């Protein structure tokens, strides 16, 4: 497995382009199963998860071509309605094919997911919602086996505003007979993008961008062309990198509105941020003020930026509190940050981070996707060399992160085939 080697202490300077959003393109790829024909999806990030989803669609029978950040998906030959364990265990988002397969073909067999090691991540809301739409669901040897002669609209109330459950149920409901409402729906920008994609295909959805979606089922959807929205987590990761390493970084092909909650926190901490509809500039110098965050569903502070924010607070001038209310046990990065000299005390899902003047480089281990990013950011601010080992997860979600950081002046390289 590859490792990333960073020599810290160099400010960042320059401009980079933000890639398309991983968490938008994955459900959109699954949604192509809802119609027969050729889709063209642009601004697709070149990521391991995108390749895994492409592989899964091919197993289902679709033809998938991926080049120059463009996907062409021909779904007219789909004939195998299964997501095998071998794929699902590497990418939790494979669960997104459950709703579309069931709605379009009346059957689906999907392995229970693995993915990031961030605690227990159930799919009970996906299953309960599909049952309410009329599906029969059994669990057989680690697989969700779902069948339905037809799905019928229903009134669905999500106990938790789950991104995945909202996406899956939305994709099932667009072809169900009659009206479905999803209450307490997620309205993360990636769910809005999925809904926009489905509407372009001919779906009838009201309330897009709110926590209550109303769907009037249609009998047929059509293939379309679509451009993926910018990745707000990649955007946020680079903004925090600039704040941590110091310097001035301009991000193009992104939108300040996607990261409002982060920008407010960065400004509070003392970074200067100018945000527009296609460009964001972040400038910082020296240690920042301690600034506490609590993660929450959109428009709150994203859990996918919690680990990166913690890396920034490790070198702030004082103590801050980092609380994760979305994934209570998403703190695997804490032990690794401590190896770099961070002062972090944990109490359940609350971390008290007391900034130190300098982190000191050391070998650390990636544990999940966003934890890997936080270790790279910490390495940028640390004295000396940091080796981030086992960067497998990083490649699932960041397009050429080391190249982008190097173009900003960071001393960072990948060594292939290390432990
Ligand atoms: C998605 C994102 C992930 C992000 C997360 C929260 C993708 C591919 N992944 O993950 O990057 O960190 O949203 O913003 O888009 N829950 C249940 N039962 C369920 C489903 C979820 O209890 O059936 C709980 C989870 O345990 C968690 C909370 O709901 O505590 C939010 O999870 P959810 O929004 O579903 O996350 P994902 O869709 O898996």
């Amino acid at each position: 497995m590859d490792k990333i080697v960073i020599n810290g202490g160099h400010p960042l300077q320059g401009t980079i382009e933000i890639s398309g959003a991983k968490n938008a393109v994955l459900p959109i790829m699954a949604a192509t199963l809802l119609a027969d024909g050729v889709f063209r999806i642009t601004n697709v990030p070149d990521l391991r998860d995108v390749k895994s989803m492409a592989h899964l669609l091919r197993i289902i029978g679709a033809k998938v071509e991926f080049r120059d950040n463009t996907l062409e998906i021909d779904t007219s030959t789909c004939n195998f309605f299964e997501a095998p364990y071998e794929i699902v265990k590497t990418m939790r988002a494979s669960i997104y094919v459950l709703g579309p397969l069931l709605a379009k073909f009346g059957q689906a067999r999907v392995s229970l997911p693995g993915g990031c090691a961030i605690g227990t991540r159930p799919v009970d809301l996906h299953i309960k919602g599909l049952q309410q739409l009329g599906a029969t669901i059994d669990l057989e040897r680690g697989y969700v086996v779902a069948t339905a002669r037809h799905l019928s609209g229903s009134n669905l109330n999500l106990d938790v505003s789950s991104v995945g459950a909202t996406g899956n149920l939305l994709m099932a409901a667009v072809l169900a007979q009659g009206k479905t409402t999803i209450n307490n729906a997620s309205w993360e920008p990636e769910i809005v993008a999925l809904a926009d994609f489905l509407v372009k295909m001919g779906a009838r959805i009201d309330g897009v961008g709110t926590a209550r979606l109303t769907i009037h089922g249609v009998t047929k959807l059509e293939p379309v062309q679509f451009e993926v929205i910018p990745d707000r987590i990649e955007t946020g990761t680079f903004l925090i990198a600039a704040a941590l390493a110091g310097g001035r970084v301009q991000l193009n092909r992104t939108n300040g509105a996607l990261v409002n909650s982060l920008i407010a926190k960065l400004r509070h901490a003392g970074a200067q941020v100018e945000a527009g509809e296609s460009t964001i500039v972040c400038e910082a110098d020296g240690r920042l003020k301690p600034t506490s965050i609590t993660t929450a569903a959109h428009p709150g502070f994203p859990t996918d930026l919690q680990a990166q924010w913690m890396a920034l607070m490790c070198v702030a001038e004082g103590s801050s509190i980092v609380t994760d209310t979305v994934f209570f046990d998403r703190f695997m990065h804490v032990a690794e940050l401590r190896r770099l000299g961070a002062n972090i005390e944990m109490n359940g899902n609350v971390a008290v981070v007391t900034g130190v003047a300098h982190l000191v480089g050391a070998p650390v281990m990636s544990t999940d996707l966003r934890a890997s990013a936080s270790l790279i950011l910490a390495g940028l601010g640390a004295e000396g060399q940091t080796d981030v080992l086992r960067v497998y997860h990083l490649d699932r979600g960041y397009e050429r992160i080391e190249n982008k950081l190097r173009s900003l002046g960071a001393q960072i390289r990948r060594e292939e085939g290390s432990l």
Side-chain angles (χ1 to χ4, degrees):
M1 250 178 268
D2 298 356
K3 72 174 176 184
I4 302 276
V5 179
I6 305 148
N7 277 294
H10 301 275
L12 303 181
Q13 202 78 39
T15 303
I16 54 164
E17 311 269 300
I18 292 301
S19 302
K22 168 179 96 71
N23 287 353
V25 75
L26 296 176
I28 283 171
M29 290 173 77
T32 64
L33 296 169
L34 289 163
D36 294 325
V38 180
F39 291 80
R40 189 179 154 83
I41 303 165
T42 55
N43 198 31
V44 177
D46 188 356
L47 301 174
R48 193 185 292 255
D49 272 8
V50 169
K51 288 177 181 148
S52 298
M53 186 60 96
H55 184 42
L56 175 53
L57 294 181
R58 286 191 193 105
I59 288 176
I60 291 169
K63 297 189 185 82
V64 186
E65 299 246 349
F66 183 35
R67 72 172 74 93
D68 299 334
N69 296 103
T70 298
L71 270 170
E72 274 202 6
I73 304 174
D74 182 352
T75 51
S76 46
T77 47
C78 292
N79 58 2
F80 183 71
F81 311 119
E82 179 167 322
Y85 176 64
E86 289 62 40
I87 296 189
V88 182
K89 74 175 184 206
T90 65
M91 185 186 59
R92 193 187 145 76
S94 315
I95 191 79
Y96 272 132
V97 301
L98 179 60
L101 284 179
L102 189 60
K104 177 79 180 340
F105 303 103
Q107 53 178 308
R109 196 165 176 273
V110 176
S111 172
L112 283 167
C116 270
I118 48 175
T120 316
R121 293 172 73 177
V123 289
D124 56 314
L125 300 173
H126 304 234
I127 290 173
K128 191 173 147 204
L130 292 173
Q131 283 171 328
Q132 274 183 267
L133 293 174
T136 303
I137 297 191
D138 294 307
L139 294 182
E140 287 175 9
R141 291 173 48 81
Y143 277 75
V144 178
V145 180
T147 51
R149 197 165 299 154
H150 64 258
L151 296 175
S152 305
S154 183
N155 188 25
L156 309 177
N157 296 302
L158 298 183
D159 298 337
V160 184
S161 164
S162 155
V163 178
T166 303
N168 236 335
L169 297 174
L170 179 59
M171 290 188 278
V174 288
L175 286 182
Q177 288 175 6
K179 178 175 136 186
T180 299
T181 47
I182 308 179
N183 298 303
N184 196 26
S186 152
W187 50 289
E188 311 286 315
E190 295 75 22
I191 290 293
V192 172
L194 171 65
D196 289 345
F197 179 73
L198 292 167
V199 166
K200 204 169 180 196
M201 288 172 69
R204 289 180 56 206
I205 308 170
D206 294 329
V208 175
T210 74
R212 182 184 160 88
L213 294 170
T214 305
I215 302 118
H216 296 274
V218 297
T219 51
K220 194 164 185 282
L221 296 167
E222 300 296 336
V224 292
Q225 302 200 5
F226 197 79
E227 182 176 323
V228 177
I229 60 168
D231 195 311
R232 66 193 166 106
I233 306 305
E234 188 197 21
T235 302
T237 301
F238 280 102
L239 291 175
I240 297 171
L244 205 156
R248 184 182 189 277
V249 169
Q250 176 168 333
L251 308 180
N252 289 345
R253 297 188 58 142
T254 186
N255 185 341
L258 291 170
V259 282
N260 273 333
S261 58
L262 170 67
I263 289 175
K265 293 292 179 182
L266 282 168
R267 286 183 178 144
H268 183 272
Q272 287 169 37
V273 186
E274 281 168 47
E277 275 178 25
S278 58
T279 294
I280 310 176
V281 178
C282 181
E283 219 173 327
D285 185 18
R287 292 175 74 185
L288 298 191
K289 278 193 290 179
T291 304
S292 300
I293 58 140
T294 298
T295 68
H298 192 71
F301 193 96
T303 176
D304 284 350
L305 288 173
Q306 179 258 107
Q308 299 90 315
W309 187 262
M310 191 184 288
L312 177 62
M313 289 300 105
C314 286
V315 287
E317 230 166 354
S319 294
S320 59
I321 296 172
V322 172
T323 308
D324 202 318
T325 67
V326 179
F327 293 112
F328 278 52
D329 40 11
R330 187 176 211 175
F331 289 102
M332 262 84 70
H333 44 286
V334 168
E336 302 300 307
L337 290 169
R338 283 185 186 137
R339 287 177 52 74
L340 300 174
N343 180 350
I344 306 166
E345 276 177 42
M346 286 303 306
N347 187 3
N349 65 329
V350 179
V352 179
V353 187
T354 303
V356 295
H358 292 288
L359 296 175
V360 180
V364 286
M365 190 82 86
S366 283
T367 47
D368 72 52
L369 170 54
R370 307 305 171 184
S372 313
S374 90
L375 296 175
I376 289 192
L377 298 194
L380 292 176
E383 280 179 349
Q385 180 170 320
T386 299
D387 290 7
V388 183
L389 309 181
R390 307 184 117 228
V391 292
Y392 164 85
H393 281 291
L394 198 66
D395 297 332
R396 290 187 37 224
Y398 287 93
E399 192 175 44
R400 300 185 304 274
I401 189 170
E402 71 275 20
N403 294 359
K404 289 188 184 184
L405 283 170
R406 202 166 40 242
S407 77
L408 295 173
Q411 291 201 3
I412 179 169
R413 64 177 193 278
R414 177 180 293 250
E415 284 186 9
E416 287 179 10
S418 317
L419 273 180

